[in-house]
């Protein structure tokens, strides 16, 4: 096999790399994976990379945290092989944050190939992105609105696209991008490979697959079960009134240095951030009322450990990939169990252990049961644990915390 012949002679290294080599990836990619410390394919990678290399369309259900980005980035890099004059791969992503993360993965894995990536997203000036577009890029990662703008102004040429990826397709639909996506697809050659990744494969996704894909392989990877196993989860029964004090207490007791706090509304995000600041804890907030530039700056600072607490709403924090996040606190429980999984999946990443605390008010108890049903866990009574922090807090404040 071509790939195995290229592998280093060292036996240990061959063992480590062989699983990716067996999927059909060549030496330069294996070296980049090795450098990134990635040794074992994840379930979604195992299930899709070989198929994708054959050129067949793919419809995959996979969550962030499953390694889905590499699942499409690796075969794309393999197929494109070397730089050319026009872009040949296009990835459409729902948010600027996700687009930047996808770009980062491409850059990491394509470092030995000379392939160039550009990322196009709205909410920021055109100059930098257009300059990058002029430099014979091979891979475009984009949010639909800005890309369509660039195509209509003839800045971006999609006439040579061979591989199209719709990443987080359900989010692309939720955010109303379908009209733009249709226009974009009309500019791409019909003879192409289409890959679609989505957290859920519902009727909408299936109908798009029927319209735009040819006989796709369908892969359903239930990755979140695996990810959730590395996260210790605690549900704490609280009153609305006791949340702020408990939040503060947990952060202090557990000496949290990188914690993501979720609130259900923007107003509450600001509220919680302000209460933390009042107590002398450096906290920032991200939600849709904060400009994209500001959000990006905040995320970069958070990623670099500049402050310990980030308070966020679901939309702003979805898909965040910051491996150092050690704790997630659900100041409010999400209404939908799937959102709970997305939230706590921001911790316990890249093989690290994580911890998630969820504040549960009396009327939200049913949500805990729904969550546990989704995760296939034991009934609530069996898993509710008392944390030392909560017990101490209870004894001092006499508020009811379980
Ligand atoms: P994703 O699901 O694409 O958001 O990826 C989540 C994180 O897992 C990213 O930081 C990836 O670089 C990392 N990752 C991807 N594939 C693997 C793998 N096979 N082993 C360990 N980490 C991986």
């Amino acid at each position: 096999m071509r790939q195995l012949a290229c592998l280093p002679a060292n036996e240990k290294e061959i063992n480590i790399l062989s699983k990716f080599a067996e999927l059909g990836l060549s030496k330069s990619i294996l070296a980049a994976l090795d450098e990134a410390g990635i040794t074992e394919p994840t379930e979604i990678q195992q299930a899709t990379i070989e198929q994708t290399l054959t050129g067949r369309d793919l419809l995959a259900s996979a969550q962030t945290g499953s390694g889905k980005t590499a699942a499409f980035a690796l075969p794309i890099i393999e197929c494109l092989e070397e730089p050319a004059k026009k872009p040949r791969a296009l990835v459409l992503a729902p948010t600027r944050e996700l687009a930047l993360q996808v770009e980062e993965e491409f850059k990491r894995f394509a470092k030995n190939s000379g392939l160039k990536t550009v990322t196009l997203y709205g909410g920021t000036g055109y100059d930098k992105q257009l300059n990058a577009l002029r430099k014979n890029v091979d891979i475009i990662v984009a949010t639909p609105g800005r890309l369509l703008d660039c195509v209509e102004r003839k800045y971006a040429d999609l006439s040579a696209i061979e591989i199209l990826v719709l990443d987080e397709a359900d989010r692309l639909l939720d955010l109303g991008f379908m009209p733009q996506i249709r226009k974009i697809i009309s500019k791409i050659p019909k003879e192409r490979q289409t890959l679609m990744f989505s957290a859920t494969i519902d009727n909408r996704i299936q109908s798009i697959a029927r319209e735009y894909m040819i006989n796709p392989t369908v892969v359903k990877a239930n990755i979140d079960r695996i990810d959730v196993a590395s996260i210790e989860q605690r549900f704490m029964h609280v009153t609305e009134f006791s949340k702020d004090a408990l939040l503060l207490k947990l952060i202090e007791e557990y000496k949290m240095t990188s914690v993501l706090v979720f609130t259900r509304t923007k107003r509450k995000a600001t509220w919680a951030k302000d209460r933390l600041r009042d107590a002398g804890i450096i906290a920032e907030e991200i939600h849709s009322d904060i400009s994209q530039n500001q959000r990006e700056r905040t995320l970069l600072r958070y990623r670099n450990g500049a402050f310990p607490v980030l308070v966020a709403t679901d939309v702003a924090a979805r898909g965040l990939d910051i491996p150092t996040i050690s704790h997630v606190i659900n100041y409010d429980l999400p209404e939908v169990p799937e959102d709970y999984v997305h939230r706590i999946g921001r911790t316990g990443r890249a093989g690290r252990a994580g911890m998630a605390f969820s504040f549960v008010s009396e009327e939200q108890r049913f949500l805990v049961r729904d969550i546990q049903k989704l995760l296939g866990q034991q009934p609530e009574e069996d898993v509710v644990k008392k944390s030392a922090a909560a017990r101490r807090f209870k004894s001092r404040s006499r508020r009811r915390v379980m």
Side-chain angles (χ1 to χ4, degrees), residues 7-14:
L7 281 170
N10 179 313
E11 221 172 87
K12 189 162 162 267
E13 270 182 84
I14 289 174

Side-chain angles (χ1 to χ4, degrees), residues 20 37-42 45 63-70 101 105 108-109 319 321 323 349-350:
F20 276 109
I38 291 179
T39 52
E40 291 264 339
T42 63
Q45 292 160 5
Q63 319 269 2
T64 20
S66 62
K68 70 177 168 62
T69 315
Q101 267 173 221
E105 292 275 272
R108 229 151 49 113
F109 302 136
D321 181 23
R349 295 171 81 77

